[in-house]
Amino acid sequence: MSRFTRKLRKWSVDILDLPQDLVMDLPRLTMVGNKQLLIENHRGVLHFAPDNLRLALPEGSLSVVGSSLVIKAIMPEEVLIEGDIAAIQYLGTGEKR
């Protein structure tokens, strides 16, 4: 993303009071206890196992660690995960795992 585009998006958020996740292409995570996680604005599943899930994001990836993880619903930009969630880690574009 160019520097000008980032500045324009930041200006839109600040001046027009728009939600950052919508304007800046950020993921939105909604967690219910440690049993359910809804992730919006993802770009696909990179890896799935009952103890680990990795999703591609517009910039970077997201790792969810736990046990008995199940993908309950998957849509083009949303995924619903259920199970015993122990940790969530955001990996930016510069980090590899």
Side-chain angles (χ1 to χ4, degrees):
M1 185 180 326
S2 75
R3 205 167 131 194
F4 175 75
T5 304
R6 280 193 300 265
K7 284 187 176 189
L8 181 61
R9 287 183 179 188
K10 183 167 176 18
W11 178 84
S12 299
V13 167
D14 293 343
I15 301 300
L16 301 175
D17 198 29
L18 296 173
Q20 282 188 353
D21 60 318
L22 178 68
V23 176
M24 302 188 78
D25 209 20
L26 298 173
R28 177 185 294 248
L29 283 68
T30 307
M31 192 165 176
V32 179
N34 70 329
K35 301 293 184 194
Q36 191 176 63
L37 178 64
L38 174 67
I39 302 147
E40 299 174 70
N41 201 16
H42 73 92
R43 296 295 184 259
V45 176
L46 297 173
H47 170 77
F48 178 74
D51 62 345
N52 189 302
L53 167 73
R54 221 162 131 217
L55 292 173
L57 300 176
E59 291 190 25
S61 64
L62 185 79
S63 176
V64 180
V65 178
S67 60
S68 305
L69 298 178
V70 176
I71 297 175
K72 283 301 224 181
I74 188 162
M75 293 155 272
E77 291 197 12
E78 296 178 10
V79 64
L80 177 63
I81 309 301
E82 289 187 354
D84 294 317
I85 300 165
I88 301 169
Q89 183 179 20
Y90 171 75
L91 304 167
T93 54
E95 301 175 48
K96 301 282 185 205
R97 272 215 171 165

